[in-house]
Amino acid sequence: MSVMVSPFDAHRDRTSEKYTAYPADVLPMFVAEMDSVPAEPIRDALVRAVTNGDTGYVGHTRVLPEVFADFAGRRWGWEVDPDLVRTTTDVSVAAVEVLRRVIAPGDQVVVMPPVYPPFWDYVREAGGTVTEVPLLPPAGDPDPYDTTAGWRMDLDGIAAALAAGARTVLLCNPHNPLGLVHARESLVALARLAAAWDAVVVSDEIHAPLTHADAVFTPFLTCGPEAVEHGVALTSASKAWNLAGTKCALMVGASDRARGWFDGLPVEVVERTGILGYTASVAAFRDGEPWLASLLAELAANRRVLAEELGTALPGAGYRQPQASYLAWLDLRALPWGDEPARLLVDRAKVALSNGRDFGRQGTGHARLNFGCSEETLREGLARLSAAR
């Protein structure tokens, strides 16, 4: 049984941004939300909570930290200390609040475009200034059967930024919009740079459970003593199990230093965790892996469809299969759609994609396509884009 539904069916019942931002005749393939049905354990847990009236303020329990620690151990061999896990509403809030603990006003924070657009906003909201150190692209023309593994961090550029005064690196791993799973050796090198400059690495790992079978995700906090002392990880069940609206994320540390940062958080940062998000997250990390396996199989099939069909549908378009998640980074500069093709294609193709420029200057002429949908939907999207040439 497929975990995906038709977006046109979803339009009739759902009120989230994905299904209300555009008219019903536009295929929504932009925001990182899937056309999925809920995993049964999560659905049952939420129904039970609502039926029982368990919809108040979140309680002070260790259940989610312990369940996540078990999941991280099974999935990645990561030994998480539940006492060094805190919750809050979402990874966006987690990023801002952790940055507020580790930077002073005006401090430089390294980001690596093309990257998730709110990263710039996180830094500004926390009182910092952004220093861009773009990722290094693979050499040669993109082969759709390659993965994004050829992309890599510019470690020399990060070292130069730290030497110039930056004291924090905001890492995205797996990296949105590329679906790049950073290699362990790169993460170890980053941790050593952080130690050399007494910097902090804040690692957004929300897409980690969506890592595909041909890649290996490495949690930053497992990358040696330097990472333990200088790192914080942020994660959530929201991306892998499509739970963004339930509002729960985790901040994970591995050192007394991190404990100090967490203990310095305003009480309300934790208190604002959504109780339904907490409930759903416990169910996801404890009982949601069979559903996740089915999802990953469908996403892998869609990833292959893009590799096989994109060249025919859009000759000249560039694409490498993501190593994680359901987001495809499309290089559309060879097509006659200008610097911001997503803006044009909403009207011309009736397909909504994410605008590449929002991910940084490196996104000029690019767009991000969400293939967290049925294969039928994906093929319809490709047909519409092809007809718009």
Side-chain angles (χ1 to χ4, degrees):
M1 177 182 172
S2 173
V3 304
M4 299 297 178
V5 298
S6 162
F8 299 108
D9 291 338
H11 262 300
R12 290 196 293 267
D13 303 313
R14 299 186 184 183
T15 61
S16 65
E17 178 186 5
K18 182 169 188 179
Y19 306 104
T20 58
Y22 295 97
D25 63 339
V26 173
L27 203 59
M29 307 183 84
F30 65 115
V31 68
E33 175 183 339
M34 295 183 286
D35 297 336
S36 62
V37 298
E40 285 189 11
I42 296 171
R43 181 200 62 196
D44 293 347
L46 290 174
V47 169
R48 185 166 54 250
V50 173
T51 301
N52 293 338
D54 192 11
T55 54
Y57 297 111
V58 71
H60 296 272
T61 76
R62 282 171 50 97
V63 176
L64 180 54
E66 290 174 351
V67 167
F68 175 74
D70 289 343
F71 175 85
R74 290 193 307 272
R75 201 86 181 172
W76 306 303
W78 178 15
E79 295 184 9
V80 172
D81 181 353
D83 287 334
L84 285 170
V85 178
R86 303 290 187 274
T87 67
T88 188
T89 50
D90 54 38
V91 165
S92 297
V93 169
V96 171
E97 295 299 338
V98 168
L99 285 172
R100 282 178 172 151
R101 301 308 305 166
V102 303
I103 69 172
D107 276 0
Q108 299 173 49
V109 178
V110 172
V111 302
M112 304 179 212
V115 73
Y116 183 50
F119 269 35
W120 284 267
D121 297 327
Y122 298 166
V123 174
R124 287 191 287 264
E125 187 176 346
T129 58
V130 172
T131 295
E132 295 184 9
V133 180
L135 291 176
L136 298 174
D141 294 330
D143 179 339
Y145 292 95
D146 287 342
T147 68
T148 50
W151 287 84
R152 62 199 189 282
M153 284 187 273
D154 181 357
L155 292 167
D156 290 339
I158 294 170
L162 295 173
R167 287 296 176 269
T168 307
V169 176
L170 186 53
L171 175 69
C172 195
N173 182 35
H175 193 100
N176 177 5
L178 302 172
L180 166 66
V181 176
H182 291 292
R184 180 178 183 85
E185 54 266 29
S186 295
L187 297 171
V188 169
L190 176 63
R192 289 173 177 167
L193 284 176
W197 293 99
D198 194 25
V200 177
V201 176
V202 180
S203 183
D204 176 350
E205 300 180 357
I206 195 171
H207 290 268
L210 293 169
T211 300
H212 293 291
D214 54 3
V216 176
F217 170 72
T218 302
F220 181 74
L221 293 178
T222 67
C223 291
E226 297 90 352
V228 166
E229 185 66 19
H230 295 270
V232 174
L234 315 176
T235 192
S236 174
S238 64
K239 204 59 63 181
W241 285 275
N242 218 38
L243 298 171
T246 64
K247 293 301 178 185
C248 182
L250 300 100
M251 299 168 279
V252 184
S255 66
D256 287 339
R257 192 182 189 194
R259 189 190 305 274
W261 294 328
F262 292 165
D263 288 348
L265 291 167
V267 172
E268 283 297 313
V269 172
V270 174
E271 296 288 340
R272 290 171 184 149
T273 306
I275 192 170
L276 294 181
Y278 195 103
T279 298
S281 298
V282 168
F285 288 125
R286 185 178 59 201
D287 303 314
E289 285 178 274
W291 183 93
L292 180 61
S294 297
L295 170 70
L296 285 168
E298 290 189 44
L299 296 181
N302 281 352
R303 194 177 69 146
R304 287 194 300 273
V305 167
L306 273 173
E308 293 165 359
E309 305 293 339
L310 187 68
T312 300
L314 299 176
Y319 161 70
R320 284 182 168 87
Q321 294 185 94
Q323 295 176 291
S325 201
Y326 48 83
L327 303 170
W329 186 238
L330 304 182
D331 182 349
L332 303 176
R333 288 175 293 179
L335 288 104
W337 294 335
D339 289 344
E340 298 184 280
R343 299 193 188 283
L344 178 147
L345 291 168
V346 171
D347 293 324
R348 183 177 294 185
K350 297 298 181 184
V351 176
L353 305 175
S354 294
N355 184 35
R357 269 191 172 174
D358 293 344
F359 298 83
R361 294 185 301 275
Q362 299 76 12
T364 299
H366 292 66
R368 192 189 72 178
L369 180 148
N370 176 347
F371 61 85
C373 57
S374 67
E375 182 178 329
E376 178 184 9
T377 300
L378 177 59
R379 290 186 181 278
E380 171 67 16
L382 288 174
R384 292 185 183 199
L385 293 172
S386 181
R389 287 185 289 151

